Amino acid sequence: MKILIINGPNLNMLGSREPEIYGSRSFESYLAELRELLEGDEIDYRQSNHEGDIIDWLQDADADGIILNAGAYTHTSLAIADAIASITIPVIEVHISNTAAREPIRHTSLISPVCRGSITGFGLKSYFLAAQAIILG
C-alpha cells in the first residue's frame, strides 16, 4: 500500500509545541517508528504551514490512501474540504488531541464530511490507526 501523510500548520513544531497537549515527541521520530510498524507499505510524508501546498498535494496524490492532519485548517478551510471532495483517494482525518474536548472553535471540522473517517485523541498513535483503516479498507 502507498500511504501519503499530510500534516498542516504548526505540526512541524511537534515535540516542542504545547507538550501537555501534543506530547514531547517530534513527528520525524514517530515517523521512523511508524515506517517500521508498517514495513512493506510505502509511506510518503509531507508537512506545510501553507494551505495551497496541502491542496496541491491532495490533488496530485498518487497513493492508495491519505492521512490528513490539517491542523487549524480543519476548522477554517473550505478550500481543503473542496480538494478532498474532488479526489477519489480515500482520506482519513487525524488529530493528535481530542478536538471535541478542546475549545469550542475546534469542535467543528469542515473536512470531516468529505473524509472517509476521523481518528482523534490517541496521540501520535492516531496515525497508525488511520494507516490500519486504509490498509484494511
Side-chain angles (χ1 to χ4, degrees):
M1 282 278 171
K2 289 172 65 175
I3 299 171
L4 172 60
I5 299 173
I6 300 174
N7 274 346
N10 299 310
L11 290 162
N12 57 310
M13 301 296 293
L14 288 176
S16 61
R17 173 189 177 210
E18 300 175 278
E20 66 281 1
I21 296 173
Y22 300 106
S24 57
R25 190 169 186 189
S26 73
F27 191 81
E28 289 73 17
S29 73
Y30 176 71
L31 184 59
E33 178 184 324
L34 184 63
R35 285 185 166 134
E36 286 181 24
L37 290 170
L38 300 173
E39 185 179 354
D41 296 299
E42 183 181 332
I43 309 296
D44 184 14
Y45 171 62
R46 300 173 192 185
Q47 187 280 325
S48 181
N49 294 320
H50 305 282
E51 185 177 32
D53 289 342
I54 295 167
I55 292 166
D56 289 342
W57 293 334
L58 288 165
Q59 292 175 348
D60 297 337
D62 176 24
D64 297 302
I66 299 170
I67 298 169
L68 173 62
N69 184 339
Y73 287 138
T74 300
H75 320 290
T76 64
S77 182
L78 187 57
I80 290 175
D82 286 347
I84 295 166
S86 74
I87 64 174
T88 58
I89 300 169
V91 177
I92 308 292
E93 174 186 17
V94 162
H95 296 285
I96 296 166
S97 67
N98 179 356
T99 55
R102 297 191 56 201
E103 310 93 313
I105 188 107
R106 296 183 194 271
H107 296 179
T108 301
S109 169
L110 297 181
I111 68 173
S112 286
V114 293
C115 287
R116 167 79 48 92
S118 299
I119 299 172
T120 68
F122 293 97
L124 290 172
K125 291 181 178 115
S126 297
Y127 292 88
F128 176 74
L129 296 171
Q132 290 300 298
I134 291 168
I135 292 165
L136 298 174

